[in-house]
């Protein structure tokens, strides 16, 4: 294991963030204004060092239209397909990572943006990158717990 953790907030308005074994942010990117080819190229670069990937497990929203549900499902499948075949991948629900980090958003993106800004004060956090940063940090804390001396819990994918 490389000690790196990749967090992915799927969706065209989401992003990805990479944290090293010391909890420092290495790289991050929003998916907005990127083409599919750009996303694939950039994620491949993130995956080169074999991080453990935490990807948000999501579903369509009840009031979401058919076209937007399809578009969301398409990008989610693209992102998941890119990582599952290359690195250890763990799906995490929004409720799980938000509860663990004490930032239950209840749909308010400003809550996660504020939490990410507090964790990464030197980073320009946007709505597009906030959840990815937090998912990566959640994964970092889970990975550190899984390898702590005396911890008998194993983290299986």
């Amino acid at each position: 294991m490389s000690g790196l953790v990749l967090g992915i907030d799927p969706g065209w308005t989401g992003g990805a963030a990479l944290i090293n074994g010391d909890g420092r942010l290495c790289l991050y990117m929003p998916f907005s204004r990127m083409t599919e080819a750009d996303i694939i190229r950039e994620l491949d670069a993130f995956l080169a060092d074999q991080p453990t990937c935490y990807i948000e497990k999501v579903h369509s929203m009840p009031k979401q239209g058919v076209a937007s549900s399809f578009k969301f499902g398409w990008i989610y499948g693209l992102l998941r397909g890119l990582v599952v075949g290359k690195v250890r991948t763990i799906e995490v629900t929004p409720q799980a990572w938000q509860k663990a980090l004490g930032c239950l958003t209840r749909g308010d993106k400003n809550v996660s943006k504020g939490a990410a800004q507090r964790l990464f004060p030197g980073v320009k956090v946007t709505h597009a990158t906030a959840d990815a940063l937090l998912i990566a940090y959640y994964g970092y804390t889970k990975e550190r717990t899984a390898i702590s001396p005396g911890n008998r819990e194993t983290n299986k994918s």
Side-chain angles (χ1 to χ4, degrees), residues 14-90:
L18 187 68
I19 293 180
N20 72 13
D22 295 327
R24 286 184 297 130
L25 181 64
C26 300
L27 301 164
Y28 68 102
M29 67 175 182
F31 296 142
S32 57
R33 292 186 228 118
M34 292 180 79
T35 67
E36 294 93 343
D38 292 336
I39 292 171
I40 291 168
R41 186 176 42 259
E42 294 292 326
L43 272 182
D44 271 341
F46 279 39
L47 298 173
D49 292 323
Q50 294 292 296
T52 296
C53 179
Y54 281 74
I55 186 169
E56 189 173 59
K57 182 179 183 175
V58 291
H59 51 80
S60 63
M61 305 296 271
K63 294 181 181 182
Q64 195 173 20
V66 174
S68 42
S69 290
F70 181 83
K71 188 175 179 181
F72 177 81
W74 189 90
I75 187 68
Y76 178 79
L78 172 73
L79 295 169
R80 191 172 184 288
L82 279 170
V83 298
V84 166
K86 294 183 179 184
V87 298
R88 182 169 157 256
T89 303
I90 298 160

Side-chain angles (χ1 to χ4, degrees), residues 16 18 30-31 33 43 56-57 60 82 90 96 101 105 107 111-113 115 118 126 130-131 140 145 147 150 156-157:
L18 187 68
F31 296 142
R33 292 186 228 118
L43 272 182
E56 189 173 59
K57 182 179 183 175
S60 63
L82 279 170
I90 298 160
L101 298 179
T105 67
V111 172
S112 55
K113 184 179 176 189
R118 287 187 295 278
T126 66
D131 287 1
Y140 164 76
T145 301
I147 60 173
K156 298 179 182 175
S157 56

